[in-house]
Amino acid sequence: MEIVILVSLLSLYCDKTDAECLVISPARLVVKYGDPASSNCSSDTPVQMGWEATQGGTDLTDKEVKSLNWRVDSVTDWNIKPTCYTEGGQCLKQLNITVYKLPDSVSISYRKYPDPMVEKHHYQLQCLVQNIAPIERLRVTFYKVNTTGEQTELDTQQKSKDNIKTPENGIYTLDFTPSRDDDRAQLWCSAMLDLGPEGPQPPPVMESDSLNINVLYKPQITMSPGCFSMSITEGDTLSLNCSANGNPAPSYDWLLPQAAPNATEERSVVTITNMAKSHSGEYTCIARNPLGNSTCTVNVEVTVDYLPIIAGLAAAAVVILLVVSCFIYSSYYKHTRIGHYQLKDMLPRRHKNKQVVHHNRMDQSFM
């Protein structure tokens, strides 16, 4: 107790008389456990000095010197506190030294293994960092990467400063509520030992293996053309695709407005050829799996295309008009042309004309 009080008083004295006190360079060391370390103690004026330490300590020098080096080939004391002092204990300076050790392993797991993991349920993950020092300088980060390769930082944690120098195991937990988008995603954690500017740069980071997650979720229909009303022309083919996302993969059922002999169902697709007016109504798709079901209804209206009918009637009217015209023309031609120019009617007229001409000639001869 008396030694502690003496050291405190001497440190206070040195702080107040810097010109007469010792200078340690570097003033702070960050050393990996088992590595060598060294620092130099110096004074403006020659004094007798020494190093007090559990490793590499030296007695007070016989002669007055202006500097004295402290060196250790392998630091193995987690609580080492090298202190430089002068003759008579007039001044003391302690080297600020941090001894660190990288973790033996970093792993991620479930606190309680889910069987299976279901969307919107709550789970707890843990990141275990084994045998690391000092644990107060450790930062643990949880990450997630989805199937598209997008990485998300979920949380970063750091233990409170408890001034523990020796290696310890650190357990860090994360509350996780998965969604359907997290299916087939990967989770992992990283442990970064940040020892400040005197420590290794960049700070060493050790990552866990990835934890592949499988998330179960009820079906969600992604229907084409969608859950709304639509119209289709009579005689055309109707095809509805009721594809759904779900884990496990969903099964499908269709509710049709009436039994259609020309309807075929193949999993998520229903097809009806040669649609008729009687096929109008609601077409409902049901996608199911053990977690629930999802429905989608499409209201289909079958319309009649009158344009072909009108075109057919117009064509028929044209044909009828042509037939009637031909009949009228044929009847008129026979009556007016063929009836006035028969051969038996033409011959007498020709003889009468010849006689008239003959008499006319005779009359001219008598004159």
Side-chain angles (χ1 to χ4, degrees), residues 262-329:
N262 50 346
T264 58
E265 298 179 26
E266 185 177 352
R267 284 182 58 81
S268 63
V269 179
V270 62
T271 302
I272 301 178
T273 59
N274 194 22
M275 288 287 288
K277 286 286 290 183
S278 59
H279 294 149
S280 296
E282 293 182 347
Y283 290 73
T284 300
C285 170
I286 305 174
R288 293 187 177 93
N289 73 4
L291 277 78
N293 61 71
S294 179
T295 63
C296 181
T297 299
V298 177
N299 192 358
V300 178
E301 180 185 3
V302 182
T303 60
V304 178
D305 187 0
Y306 292 100
L307 183 60
I309 299 176
I310 295 173
L313 292 175
V318 170
V319 171
I320 293 173
L321 182 61
L322 289 175
V323 170
V324 172
S325 299
C326 291
F327 177 78
I328 295 173
Y329 176 78

Side-chain angles (χ1 to χ4, degrees), residues 44-319:
D44 290 338
T45 59
V47 292
Q48 287 182 291
M49 65 178 68
W51 281 93
E52 179 67 30
T54 55
Q55 286 186 270
T58 59
D59 295 333
L60 197 66
T61 58
D62 296 333
K63 299 179 180 180
E64 293 182 346
V65 295
K66 296 186 69 173
S67 66
L68 182 64
N69 193 51
W70 172 81
R71 179 176 175 80
V72 176
D73 292 334
S74 176
V75 176
T76 56
D77 183 5
W78 297 101
N79 294 293
I80 191 169
K81 298 176 181 179
T83 303
C84 181
Y85 63 96
T86 62
E87 181 186 8
Q90 294 179 358
C91 191
L92 296 175
K93 280 290 184 179
Q94 182 176 301
L95 172 63
N96 184 357
I97 183 169
T98 300
V99 183
Y100 74 92
K101 178 187 177 301
L102 298 179
D104 292 340
S105 65
V106 178
S107 61
I108 188 171
S109 62
Y110 299 104
R111 289 294 297 270
K112 182 179 179 182
Y113 190 80
D115 189 22
M117 182 178 281
V118 181
E119 70 167 339
K120 298 182 180 179
H121 287 204
H122 302 292
Y123 304 94
Q124 194 171 67
L125 304 171
Q126 71 174 19
C127 183
L128 174 61
V129 184
Q130 291 186 314
N131 206 23
I132 187 171
I135 197 169
E136 66 180 29
R137 306 305 296 267
L138 179 66
R139 286 214 307 265
V140 170
T141 304
F142 290 87
Y143 294 95
K144 178 185 72 175
V145 60
N146 58 23
T147 54
T148 62
E150 181 183 358
Q151 180 173 306
T152 304
E153 182 178 318
L154 300 177
D155 190 29
T156 298
Q157 302 175 17
Q158 187 170 7
K159 295 287 187 181
S160 60
K161 294 184 178 181
D162 49 17
N163 206 31
I164 297 176
K165 306 296 184 182
T166 55
E168 284 195 339
N169 294 336
I171 298 178
Y172 303 81
T173 60
L174 173 71
D175 293 326
F176 181 66
T177 304
S179 68
R180 63 182 57 224
D181 295 332
D182 294 325
D183 184 36
R184 294 180 295 144
Q186 293 181 329
L187 301 174
W188 77 91
C189 62
S190 69
M192 181 176 69
L193 193 60
D194 189 359
L195 298 166
E198 295 84 5
Q201 300 297 323
V205 177
M206 190 170 181
E207 294 183 348
S208 70
D209 292 334
S210 296
L211 181 65
N212 297 317
I213 61 175
N214 180 33
V215 181
L216 303 185
Y217 53 93
K218 75 174 188 177
Q220 183 178 19
I221 294 177
T222 56
M223 193 171 191
S224 177
C227 303
F228 54 84
S229 299
M230 63 172 293
S231 61
I232 188 170
T233 304
E234 187 177 31
D236 287 352
T237 298
L238 174 68
S239 181
L240 297 176
N241 185 1
C242 178
S243 59
N245 295 324
N247 189 16
S251 60
Y252 298 91
D253 291 315
W254 283 93
L255 300 179
L256 306 182
Q258 67 169 17
N262 50 346
T264 58
E265 298 179 26
E266 185 177 352
R267 284 182 58 81
S268 63
V269 179
V270 62
T271 302
I272 301 178
T273 59
N274 194 22
M275 288 287 288
K277 286 286 290 183
S278 59
H279 294 149
S280 296
E282 293 182 347
Y283 290 73
T284 300
C285 170
I286 305 174
R288 293 187 177 93
N289 73 4
L291 277 78
N293 61 71
S294 179
T295 63
C296 181
T297 299
V298 177
N299 192 358
V300 178
E301 180 185 3
V302 182
T303 60
V304 178
D305 187 0
Y306 292 100
L307 183 60
I309 299 176
I310 295 173
L313 292 175
V318 170
V319 171

